[in-house]
Amino acid sequence: MSGNESTKVVYMDNNATTRVAPEVLEVMLPYFSDLYGNPSSMHTFGGQVGAAVIKARKNIASLIGASPDELVFTSCGTESDSTAILSALQSLPGKRHIVTTRVEHPAVKNLCETLDTLTGHKHNVTQLPVESDGTIDLQKYEESLGDETAIVSIMWANNETGVIFPIAEMARIAKSRNILFHTDAVQAVGKVPINLAEVPVDFLSISGHKLHAPKGVGVLYVRKGTPFVPFMIGGHQEHGRRGGTENVASIIGLGMACELAVGHMEEENTRVKALRDKLENGLLTSIPNAMLNGHKDQRLPNTTNVSFEFVEGESILLHMDRYGICASSGSACTSGSLEPSHVLRAMGVPFTAAHGSIRFSLSIYNTEEEVDYILEKMPPIIANLRAMSPFWKSSHQGRVGKSQCKCEC
Ligand code: PLP
């Protein structure tokens, strides 16, 4: 990133990671100093730490309508995803078909694509396509399931567009066919209500740092009765489901973050959503050739993904960074070439627009003043970059139209 010429930070990259809530930090601190016992120890000193872990487990379970003993603490969302998928494949060795989507996070997508090398067995992975608004066709989903299907792994909400999938319905369909169902709910937990008493998933992944708890702690929900094979083999922790001494302070922080999330859910879906909508409408109306990526309504309340045609997402981010504005782009610079995100490609977003996509993801810590600041800075940033863009110039001189542009640079 270029040097930030401003000391101001306007953080709208909460799908990448969130700030640790002050209340979370406060409850964690004693576990780095006075309360350093091992929660598995027999003595009272360790026992009081164990009691705090039990309380955190209850708070986390209550946010998602689960029972505390259905939770397994992990190190992150990625570990939770791997554990669920590998567990299903090991507990059903005769079944080697997996159904997932083209828009999953790399934690699921890359795992599914490397399963053969990892396990030494041939797998058949169906990556379901999505519609142009990022939603899924339920009929295609249903048709993809077969007798060989071991597990379905479909995210609750997409990290890039915020699009929400109908997990309850898809899980019911899988259950009726006796197929295990995993959902990566890393972006959904804490932002939208989840009640697992009504959604028959077998596995659900959570990551602490997406909901104002620290990085390095995750949870895998495993429904009671679901066959389970541990990923981390070691001690007896987590009732033998995940070896390794617990990341106590972070687990306690996550417990507090979940307690706070219950109280903040309404604000997330009213004030934060209104701020997101103001930002989105402002960008779409003040900047020509700007378009929304993803379904307008079937979406997380905090996320908007907007494409600014004929400019490079990374250049936009560099200019935003000068004003202290933090967001993400839908393209990642790989080996010198800018590759648009697999999510936007799966949605069929044209290259000229996918290259210039920016994701803003808000949290309860954002203010209207920050939205106004971004709305003031963005139009000149885009206009200046377009003034230097040969594609913009030629499209506006009628030489290359959006539909004709074959740019794959
Ligand atoms: N799944 C989704 C949808 C995500 O957005 C992320 C992180 O961006 C992950 C999984 C991985 O989570 P973690 O960083 O905790 O491994």
Side-chain angles (χ1 to χ4, degrees):
M1 280 288 150
S2 65
N4 178 356
E5 290 160 15
S6 125
T7 51
K8 192 176 173 98
V9 172
V10 174
Y11 189 79
M12 293 216 184
D13 203 11
N14 288 280
N15 288 9
T17 197
T18 57
R19 71 174 282 186
V20 171
E23 298 91 331
V24 167
L25 179 63
E26 193 185 326
V27 296
M28 288 175 66
L29 287 175
Y31 297 90
F32 290 111
S33 51
D34 299 343
L35 297 172
Y36 55 84
N38 188 319
S40 301
S41 294
M42 289 299 292
H43 43 70
T44 310
F45 185 63
Q48 58 187 328
V49 176
V53 170
I54 289 173
K55 182 172 172 235
R57 198 186 289 277
K58 276 192 191 145
N59 282 340
I60 301 163
S62 139
L63 178 65
I64 58 170
S67 153
D69 56 4
E70 292 176 309
L71 306 188
V72 178
F73 288 117
T74 64
S75 65
C76 58
T78 303
E79 184 189 325
S80 301
D81 289 344
S82 280
T83 305
I85 295 170
L86 295 174
S87 166
L89 294 174
Q90 285 179 81
S91 56
L92 300 167
K95 299 193 176 189
R96 298 263 164 79
H97 179 225
I98 299 147
V99 172
T100 178
T101 75
R102 289 193 194 154
V103 296
E104 296 301 309
H105 186 274
V108 168
K109 189 171 181 290
N110 291 352
L111 175 75
C112 288
E113 287 169 4
T114 47
L115 277 173
D116 294 0
T117 346
L118 195 70
T119 63
H121 298 292
K122 181 101 195 76
H123 292 85
N124 173 14
V125 179
T126 302
Q127 293 184 319
L128 292 168
V130 292
E131 305 299 302
S132 59
D133 61 3
T135 57
I136 213 157
D137 180 335
L138 274 181
Q139 198 180 331
K140 282 186 193 145
Y141 162 69
E142 206 161 351
E143 285 166 5
S144 73
L145 305 174
D147 295 341
E148 292 299 303
T149 314
I151 186 166
V152 174
S153 179
I154 296 185
M155 65 204 325
W156 196 295
N158 186 270
N159 46 303
E160 293 191 28
T161 59
V163 170
I164 294 176
F165 288 142
I167 293 300
E169 213 169 334
M170 291 193 284
R172 269 181 225 121
I173 294 169
K175 197 172 176 62
S176 72
R177 309 272 299 261
N178 247 337
I179 296 169
L180 293 173
F181 195 100
H182 163 246
T183 184
D184 174 341
V186 160
Q187 292 293 345
V189 172
K191 293 176 189 151
V192 289
I194 291 182
N195 181 4
L196 295 184
E198 290 167 4
V199 181
V201 301
D202 299 290
F203 301 104
L204 176 143
S205 303
I206 302 178
S207 170
H209 72 109
K210 308 290 183 179
L211 71 149
H212 305 290
K215 296 158 190 63
V217 62
V219 173
L220 178 65
Y221 160 85
V222 185
R223 188 173 292 276
K224 222 170 271 168
T226 303
F228 185 77
V229 179
F231 178 65
M232 295 271 276
I233 313 286
H236 58 276
Q237 292 90 353
E238 300 297 284
H239 295 289
R241 292 174 299 180
R242 202 262 189 188
T245 302
E246 298 85 347
N247 180 355
V248 168
S250 294
I251 288 171
I252 286 157
L254 180 55
M256 174 51 81
C258 289
E259 202 177 322
L260 293 172
V262 174
H264 289 155
M265 193 79 71
E266 200 188 319
E267 183 182 355
E268 188 82 52
N269 287 277
T270 51
R271 192 184 70 82
V272 175
K273 184 171 182 289
L275 288 182
R276 189 275 311 266
D277 290 345
K278 180 177 178 180
L279 175 67
E280 181 174 291
N281 293 334
L283 293 171
L284 294 176
T285 51
S286 66
I287 301 177
N289 293 60
M291 61 197 68
L292 175 67
N293 295 314
H295 195 279
K296 188 148 176 45
D297 305 313
Q298 207 173 302
R299 224 180 354 152
L300 293 174
N302 78 319
T303 308
T304 180
N305 187 312
V306 178
S307 275
F308 304 100
E309 271 195 302
F310 302 111
V311 272
E312 222 20 279
E314 304 230 330
S315 312
I316 305 172
L317 286 185
L318 287 172
H319 283 75
M320 289 165 64
D321 190 48
R322 288 209 194 141
Y323 297 111
I325 304 169
C326 308
S328 281
S329 90
S331 59
C333 193
T334 41
S335 26
S337 72
L338 287 166
E339 184 67 17
S341 95
H342 69 282
V343 175
L344 300 184
R345 271 186 289 147
M347 289 161 62
V349 176
F351 273 91
T352 46
H355 272 303
S357 78
I358 299 291
R359 175 192 70 188
F360 296 90
S361 46
L362 289 72
S363 81
I364 52 149
Y365 296 107
N366 288 120
T367 63
E368 187 155 13
E369 190 200 348
E370 290 177 325
V371 168
D372 292 338
Y373 178 75
I374 296 180
L375 288 176
E376 177 199 321
K377 300 296 180 203
M378 287 302 285
I381 289 177
I382 303 298
N384 289 339
L385 287 169
R386 280 181 176 162
M388 295 183 283
S389 158
F391 297 110
W392 173 255
K393 280 185 200 152
S394 44
S395 85
H396 279 68
Q397 286 156 7
R399 278 194 273 129
V400 181
K402 177 181 151 192
S403 55
Q404 295 157 279
C405 181
K406 300 278 187 291
C407 159
E408 292 197 24
C409 56

